[in-house]
């Protein structure tokens, strides 16, 4: 079995990257990340971002691309991220009106079918990343997340293990449910805080069973893992990214 890649979702270190993207990316490489998942290109042109990544020795395995950006110019946007080497283009979130049961679901589904077709022509894999609000049941008793993927068979899922758990579901069970359709997994570790709900922690430092998640993901055909923290607690985002990388190295990844 080919060893899975480990990437950092650059949203994790957005405070550093927004100030000095080249410097932040070099620090990420020094930590041992060879792959990144993009969340914007920091005001650069695509060619400049591609050159920077190449110079540093980072591969953009995937990119979170906002729904509005895709709708503005679908073909050109897919082509631009393809030019950066991205194998996956991921829609990071849809508001409730765009999900099954929402007022704009029919139009959204039609656009997403077009998105999948354009990605297929570009040899890009179209993906959707969940939060917790997709785990609301429709009148049928089905979660909106499951209805979404049932109605869009060409879409792959990037299961975010932190949000799956925040929604009261078992990450490993959901990964197994989507075996063959979850090529990349968001490893988001969390703890439950009685004052503020779920809080992010570096991978391996929270309450998630990361070894079990990794095992389930590999059995389900995952090709890579993406480290993400929405908001590190009591440490900088760079420190959290480094702790996460060191932990995954200890597991052999």
């Amino acid at each position: 079995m080919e060893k899975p890649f480990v990437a950092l979702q650059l949203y994790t270190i957005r405070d550093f990257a927004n100030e000095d993207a080249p410097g932040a990316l070099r620090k990420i490489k020094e930590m041992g990340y060879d792959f990144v998942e993009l969340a914007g290109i920091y005001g650069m042109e695509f060619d400049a971002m591609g050159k920077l990544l190449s110079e540093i020795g980072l591969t953009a395995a995937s990119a979170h691309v906002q729904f509005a950006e895709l709708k503005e110019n679908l073909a050109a946007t897919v082509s631009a991220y393809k030019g950066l080497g991205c194998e996956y283009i991921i829609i990071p979130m849809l508001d409730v009106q765009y999900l099954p049961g929402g007022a704009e679901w029919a139009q959204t589904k039609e656009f997403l079918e077009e998105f999948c077709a354009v990605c297929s022509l570009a040899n890009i894999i179209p993906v959707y990343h969940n939060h917790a609000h997709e785990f609301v049941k429709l009148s049928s008793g089905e979660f909106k997340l499951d209805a979404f993927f049932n109605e869009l068979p060409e879409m792959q899922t990037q299961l975010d293990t932190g949000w799956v758990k925040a929604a009261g579901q078992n990450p490993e069970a959901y990964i197994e449910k989507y075996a063959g359709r979850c090529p990349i997994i968001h490893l988001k570790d969390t703890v439950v805080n009685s004052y503020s709900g779920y809080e992010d922690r570096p991978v391996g430092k929270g309450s998630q069973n990361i070894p079990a998640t990794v095992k389930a993901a590999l059995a389900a055909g995952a090709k890579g893992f993406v480290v993400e923290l929405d908001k590190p607690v009591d440490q900088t985002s760079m420190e959290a990214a480094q702790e996460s990388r060191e932990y995954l190295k200890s597991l052999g990844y």
Side-chain angles (χ1 to χ4, degrees):
M1 179 185 294
E2 186 177 349
K3 193 171 184 178
F5 66 82
V6 174
L8 179 69
Q9 165 51 256
L10 294 181
Y11 182 76
T12 302
I13 57 157
R14 59 195 178 278
D15 48 345
F16 286 90
N18 286 333
E19 291 292 324
D20 177 14
L25 290 171
R26 288 189 176 93
K27 287 181 182 178
I28 291 307
K29 177 66 176 179
E30 290 168 5
M31 291 178 193
Y33 289 99
D34 295 321
F35 297 84
V36 294
E37 183 171 87
L38 299 173
I41 56 173
Y42 309 107
M44 287 187 267
E45 298 294 329
F46 279 93
D47 286 349
M49 174 57 88
K51 183 178 180 182
L52 177 62
L53 291 170
S54 180
E55 288 175 352
I56 295 171
L58 288 169
T59 298
S62 51
H64 276 200
V65 183
Q66 295 297 326
F67 185 53
E69 183 181 351
L70 290 167
K71 289 189 75 174
E72 186 175 343
N73 196 331
L74 178 57
T77 301
V78 169
S79 178
Y81 282 99
K82 173 73 173 179
L84 290 178
C86 294
E87 187 175 354
Y88 308 92
I89 292 180
I90 303 148
I91 297 174
M93 188 179 77
L94 290 172
D95 290 332
V96 292
Q97 68 266 30
Y98 302 113
L99 293 170
E104 299 184 52
W105 169 239
Q107 301 95 311
T108 301
K109 180 185 174 185
E110 184 176 342
F111 174 78
L112 291 176
E113 289 171 340
E114 183 184 359
F115 169 59
C116 290
V118 170
C119 284
S120 179
L121 289 173
N123 199 27
I124 291 278
I125 298 171
V127 185
Y128 180 73
H129 167 276
N130 69 277
H131 287 71
H133 67 281
E134 296 93 347
F135 290 93
V136 172
K137 289 187 176 180
L138 299 165
S139 58
S140 64
E142 187 177 33
F143 284 131
K144 292 182 179 184
L145 183 76
D146 297 323
F148 178 95
F149 287 112
N150 285 339
E151 294 197 43
L152 291 165
E154 299 304 315
M155 289 286 289
Q156 305 292 292
T157 176
Q158 183 182 60
L159 288 170
D160 183 303
T161 57
W163 284 117
V164 171
K165 188 168 185 177
Q169 302 302 308
N170 179 278
E172 293 76 49
Y174 244 85
I175 289 169
E176 183 179 357
K177 182 174 186 176
Y178 282 93
R181 288 187 72 179
C182 49
I184 39 179
I185 301 291
H186 260 207
L187 291 178
K188 183 180 290 175
D189 214 341
T190 57
V191 297
V192 179
N193 183 305
S194 60
Y195 296 101
S196 57
Y198 281 86
E199 292 181 349
D200 290 349
R201 293 292 186 272
V203 177
K205 298 299 177 69
S207 61
Q208 300 272 38
N209 188 341
I210 299 299
T213 299
V214 167
K215 182 179 179 180
L218 294 177
K223 305 298 183 184
F225 300 106
V226 179
V227 170
E228 183 186 43
L229 289 89
D230 290 331
K231 187 179 181 181
V233 177
D234 298 329
Q235 63 183 158
T236 70
S237 59
M238 281 291 184
E239 289 168 342
Q242 183 158 17
E243 279 194 45
S244 298
R245 190 69 193 95
E246 292 305 315
Y247 175 76
L248 289 172
K249 286 178 185 177
S250 77
L251 297 183
Y253 302 105

